């Protein structure tokens, strides 16, 4: 569940600063990322990467795939697409993998396990890797929340048989994901272009999102006339696609994942990420992304320190961790959510909607985390005044909660 405000972006948006270094950032080598873990294929979303990873693993009809009970619903349809059955395992109160529960759920049909590095914080991956090796279980390392970072001296994504990532959570792009493998070649994963409409949509939607948040004003002025003609172009493209398919309704120009939908669309499985998105990823400063995300996370942590009724989900921000968001564990989440939502603070409640049937009976900790954790953006494109405003709103609501209690 998300809440948006038109003046403060919940995810990175393109700006002139996207391609510059971070203020005060130390020089040196490029920060490690999931792209350093092995062979890479750039796709349109993390869920498409999951489908490709499972296909590469040989997961098929009648197999079972272990999935965390604390999850995004978008993780499950790729399992069903392969013909397999998802089996949900428990997590601890800090979202760590409950390996005892995993062991109890392994059966003769179990082929793979998905392990999620929540909010950018790696699981105990060396222990999980050894657990999987001892049982002949394939490991899919879910790096949708942690494109950058390392664990035990290895880039995130290095521990799984395959790893997936969601580049659009970390870069100012409209779409994008990655399939990576440190253990297997990806030669069999042959990707095709998404088409002219998709390429145009990826570029223009990225720019429109930037303009909506007051970024790139000079570019917006230059593109005022072309952007004004965009709707006509979209209608022409959709009409052409509709006529070609004979269905009377043109297929979407971009996957639903780009607009926060949970749907899985098989026609995007073998499509390559857009050229514009890949160019932005290549040109954007990875050092700036990592430095500012950590800096913003620590600023939000400092803003909430000592306040009643809350604590960060993770007690420290270890070196090598590049967070997706700042997750806060709340005693009264509904009070806080309602007031921050009304104020226009952008919020995420990860796993607040889970796959049907996954509830407290499946995993009490998953239900607790889904209910009590509210996450706040800490991405690199937040301006100092935006971050300060959000931190101030958060402190104000938490103090009001303490008075009300």
């Amino acid at each position: 569940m998300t809440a948006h405000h038109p003046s403060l972006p919940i995810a990175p948006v393109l700006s002139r600063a996207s391609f510059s270094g971070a203020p005060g950032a130390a020089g040196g080598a490029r920060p490690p990322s999931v792209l350093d873990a092995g062979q890479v294929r750039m796709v349109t979303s993390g869920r498409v990467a999951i489908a490709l990873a499972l296909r590469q693993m040989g997961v098929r009809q009648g197999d079972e795939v272990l999935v965390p009970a604390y999850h995004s619903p978008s993780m499950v349809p790729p399992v069903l697409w392969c013909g397999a059955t998802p089996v949900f395992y428990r997590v601890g109160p800090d979202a760590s993998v409950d390996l005892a529960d995993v062991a109890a759920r392994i059966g003769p049909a179990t082929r793979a396990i998905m392990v999620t590095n929540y909010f950018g914080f790696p699981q105990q991956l060396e222990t999980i890797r050894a657990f999987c090796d001892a049982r002949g279980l394939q490991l899919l390392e879910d790096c949708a929340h942690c494109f950058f970072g390392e664990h035990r001296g290895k880039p995130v994504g290095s521990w799984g048989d395959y790893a997936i990532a969601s580049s659009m959570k970390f870069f100012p792009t409209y779409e994008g994901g990655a399939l990576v493998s440190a253990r297997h070649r990806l030669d069999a994963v042959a990707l095709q272009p998404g088409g002219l409409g998709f390429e145009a949509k990826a570029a223009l939607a990225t720019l429109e999102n930037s303009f909506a948040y007051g970024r790139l004003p000079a570019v917006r002025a230059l593109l005022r006339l072309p952007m004004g003609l965009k709707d006509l172009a979209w209608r022409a493209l959709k009409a052409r696609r509709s006529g070609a398919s004979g269905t009377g309704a043109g297929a979407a120009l971009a996957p639903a994942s780009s607009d926060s939908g949970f749907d899985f669309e098989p026609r995007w499985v073998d499509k390559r990420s857009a050229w514009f998105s890949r160019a932005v990823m290549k040109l954007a400063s990875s050092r700036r992304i990592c430095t500012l995300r950590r800096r913003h996370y620590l600023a939000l942590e400092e803003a909430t320190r000592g306040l009643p009724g809350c604590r960060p989900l993770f007690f420290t921000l270890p070196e090598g961790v590049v967070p997706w968001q700042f997750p806060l564990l709340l005693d009264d989440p509904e009070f806080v959510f309602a007031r921050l939502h009304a104020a226009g603070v952008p919020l995420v409640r990860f796993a607040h909607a889970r796959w049907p049937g996954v509830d407290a009976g499946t995993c009490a900790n998953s239900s607790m985390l889904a209910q009590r954790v509210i996450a706040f953006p800490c991405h690199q494109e937040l301006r100092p005044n935006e971050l300060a405003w959000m931190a101030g709103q958060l402190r104000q609501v938490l103090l009001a909660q303490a008075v009300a209690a």
Side-chain angles (χ1 to χ4, degrees):
M1 181 184 300
T2 60
H4 296 267
H5 189 267
S7 64
L8 202 161
I10 198 167
V13 291
L14 196 62
S15 71
R16 287 182 60 189
S18 300
F19 308 107
S20 64
R30 178 176 58 85
S33 79
V34 67
L35 302 184
D36 299 314
Q39 275 203 310
V40 178
R41 293 291 183 270
M42 297 306 302
V43 294
T44 59
S45 69
R47 72 196 66 170
V48 159
I50 291 174
L52 289 170
L54 295 176
R55 188 172 73 181
Q56 289 297 108
M57 288 177 175
V59 173
R60 56 180 60 89
Q61 188 75 34
D63 289 342
E64 293 179 348
V65 176
L66 295 168
V67 180
Y70 188 46
H71 62 267
S72 165
S74 63
M75 295 170 64
V76 179
V79 177
L80 302 177
W81 176 73
C82 292
T85 300
V87 176
F88 297 95
Y89 64 84
R90 296 174 183 169
V91 299
D94 59 352
S96 59
V97 175
D98 184 339
L99 283 179
D101 186 66
V102 171
R105 295 179 189 275
I106 295 175
T110 307
R111 293 291 173 265
I113 180 172
M114 290 192 218
V115 170
T116 301
N117 296 320
Y118 297 106
F119 301 103
F121 289 72
Q123 298 274 357
Q124 293 301 313
L125 293 167
E126 69 281 12
T127 301
I128 295 168
R129 178 74 262 177
F131 175 94
C132 291
D133 288 343
R135 291 159 178 80
L137 195 62
Q138 296 185 89
L139 172 60
L140 175 48
E141 187 180 343
D142 175 11
C143 298
H145 293 185
C146 64
F147 195 93
F148 293 95
E150 59 185 349
H151 179 73
R152 302 291 189 189
K154 294 183 180 181
V156 292
S158 299
W159 301 85
D161 291 273
Y162 295 87
I164 69 96
S166 179
S167 49
M168 59 184 167
K169 288 186 175 68
F170 285 81
F171 292 89
T173 60
Y174 175 69
E175 56 77 44
L179 171 68
V180 181
S181 182
R183 294 187 164 213
H184 307 281
R185 296 194 62 81
L186 299 179
D187 298 341
V189 182
L191 302 177
Q192 304 299 321
L196 177 61
F198 169 62
E199 295 288 346
K201 176 76 171 179
L204 292 176
T206 299
L207 292 172
E208 283 187 319
N209 196 37
S210 173
F211 300 159
Y213 290 101
R215 272 64 169 181
L216 299 177
V219 176
R220 182 178 187 178
L222 287 171
L223 296 180
R224 189 179 302 277
L225 179 59
M227 295 299 278
L229 297 173
K230 176 182 65 66
D231 288 342
L232 291 174
W234 285 157
R235 283 196 290 270
L237 279 167
K238 288 181 179 180
R240 187 171 69 180
R241 292 165 71 93
S242 175
S245 66
T247 62
L253 295 175
S257 54
S258 297
D259 294 309
S260 302
F262 292 131
D263 293 343
F264 177 72
E265 300 158 298
R267 76 184 190 90
W268 291 99
V269 166
D270 293 300
K271 297 295 190 293
R272 184 183 300 114
S273 179
W275 177 88
F276 186 87
S277 301
R278 288 180 281 125
V280 169
M281 288 180 62
K282 184 175 181 179
L283 296 172
S285 168
S286 57
R287 186 173 296 110
R288 174 176 178 268
I289 292 171
C290 297
T291 299
L292 292 184
R293 280 179 176 265
R294 286 181 58 87
R295 186 180 300 173
H296 294 168
Y297 181 102
L298 292 172
L300 291 171
E301 183 181 71
E302 178 63 29
T304 58
R305 183 169 295 141
L307 293 181
C310 72
R311 69 164 179 82
L313 178 61
F314 304 104
F315 287 102
T316 62
L317 179 64
E319 288 297 323
V321 169
V322 180
W324 169 43
Q325 297 199 324
F326 173 67
L328 195 64
L329 188 66
L330 297 155
D331 291 345
D332 188 353
E334 302 311 322
F335 179 99
V336 174
F337 181 84
R339 281 153 183 79
L340 290 177
H341 180 32
V345 176
L347 311 167
V348 168
R349 301 185 81 171
F350 178 75
H352 201 255
R354 281 157 290 153
W355 196 251
V358 180
D359 54 20
T362 310
C363 175
N365 286 324
S366 172
S367 292
M368 179 275 292
L369 292 167
Q371 183 67 22
R372 291 182 54 195
V373 172
I374 295 180
F376 300 83
C378 63
H379 60 77
Q380 69 277 8
E381 301 298 343
L382 288 171
R383 293 167 169 165
N385 64 309
E386 292 173 337
L387 183 67
W389 176 82
M390 181 169 57
Q393 292 292 318
L394 179 54
R395 283 187 60 87
Q396 182 178 321
V397 169
L398 289 170
L399 289 169
Q401 174 194 348
V403 172

